[in-house]
Amino acid sequence: MHHLHPILQRQQIDYGIYVIEQTFSKPFNRAKLFNIGYSEALKHNNYSCLIFHDVDLLPLNDRNMYACSQQPRHMSSSINIFRYNLPYAELFGGVSAISAAQFRKLNGFSNRYFGWGGEDDDMYERVKKQRMSITRWPMHISRYTMLSHRKETPSEHRFEQASYTFLGTLCSHTGRKLPVNIGS
């Protein structure tokens, strides 16, 4: 957040940051965490724009505006680990901007994906099914650096259903951290 706050402040936008962190050793479910973040954020404020952001991505260009547009926007289409190229046209993962109205129309992210991968491709298909278009800034604007971490392999069980328990809120001046227990 130390990297992101200065960029958002220079963009002079009103924002809140919610960190939704999975607890316990259940299989990881990124989409479910994003859905929880949407629900919890709207309990605190009537946000009209939502930015779904992987924690390992750092924006490199202040002109990559953290704001929504008429259509869902893939904000991280130029990442260092892909040599700043879009790996495939249907990619909608990493960082995306979706209005609250669009998110409701898309029925959020699918909760069926456990482990690494699948949920962003599923969201791409949802966007297309609703006859929306995914927009992107030019590659020189949508640049991100991915922090080093161990690469995950796709889980065999990523299609199992999940549920969650909201464990509470920890507030600070840097945002809200919401630990959640994703159960089976």
Side-chain angles (χ1 to χ4, degrees):
M1 284 202 265
H2 295 291
H3 181 84
L4 189 57
H5 277 297
I7 291 172
L8 298 175
Q9 290 167 344
R10 285 191 297 270
Q11 291 184 4
Q12 299 181 6
I13 58 175
D14 185 25
Y15 66 92
I17 294 177
Y18 293 78
V19 177
I20 312 303
E21 184 175 54
Q22 185 170 324
T23 59
F24 305 110
S25 61
K26 300 290 182 186
F28 183 67
N29 189 319
R30 176 180 177 263
K32 186 82 170 184
L33 296 173
F34 281 164
N35 290 334
I36 293 166
Y38 163 82
S39 296
E40 295 301 326
L42 290 183
K43 288 179 184 178
H44 296 103
N45 196 328
N46 190 24
Y47 294 107
S48 60
C49 180
L50 306 156
I51 310 294
F52 296 95
H53 205 301
D54 286 359
V55 298
D56 61 352
L57 292 176
L58 302 176
L60 299 178
N61 192 323
D62 285 12
R63 292 179 295 165
N64 190 355
M65 294 300 296
Y66 275 65
C68 289
S69 60
Q70 296 283 338
Q71 297 292 326
R73 186 156 34 88
H74 182 221
M75 297 178 64
S76 60
S77 57
S78 179
I79 302 175
N80 66 324
I81 63 161
F82 301 125
R83 297 186 184 111
Y84 298 108
N85 292 304
L86 186 64
Y88 56 99
E90 298 81 15
L91 181 62
F92 193 56
V95 183
S96 56
I98 304 174
S99 75
Q102 292 163 350
F103 194 77
R104 284 188 297 273
K105 187 173 183 179
L106 296 167
N107 196 27
F109 285 86
S110 172
N111 293 328
R112 296 176 37 216
Y113 297 92
F114 285 84
W116 180 86
E119 73 286 335
D120 48 356
D121 296 326
D122 181 274
M123 181 56 94
Y124 175 87
E125 293 301 324
R126 288 168 182 251
V127 168
K128 291 300 178 191
K129 189 174 263 189
Q130 290 297 325
R131 298 180 192 268
M132 295 180 199
S133 299
I134 291 174
T135 61
R136 294 184 173 99
W137 290 115
M139 300 298 259
H140 69 280
I141 293 176
S142 60
R143 287 186 152 221
Y144 283 77
T145 292
M146 181 177 284
L147 299 174
S148 278
H149 59 82
R150 184 176 57 90
K151 302 295 181 212
E152 298 293 328
T153 55
S155 170
E156 300 172 25
H157 308 291
R158 65 184 182 182
F159 299 108
E160 294 174 6
Q161 294 297 320
S163 62
Y164 81 95
T165 305
F166 178 60
L167 299 178
T169 303
L170 172 65
C171 297
S172 71
H173 71 283
T174 58
R176 286 181 163 71
K177 185 174 182 179
L178 305 174
V180 293
N181 177 13
I182 294 188
S184 53

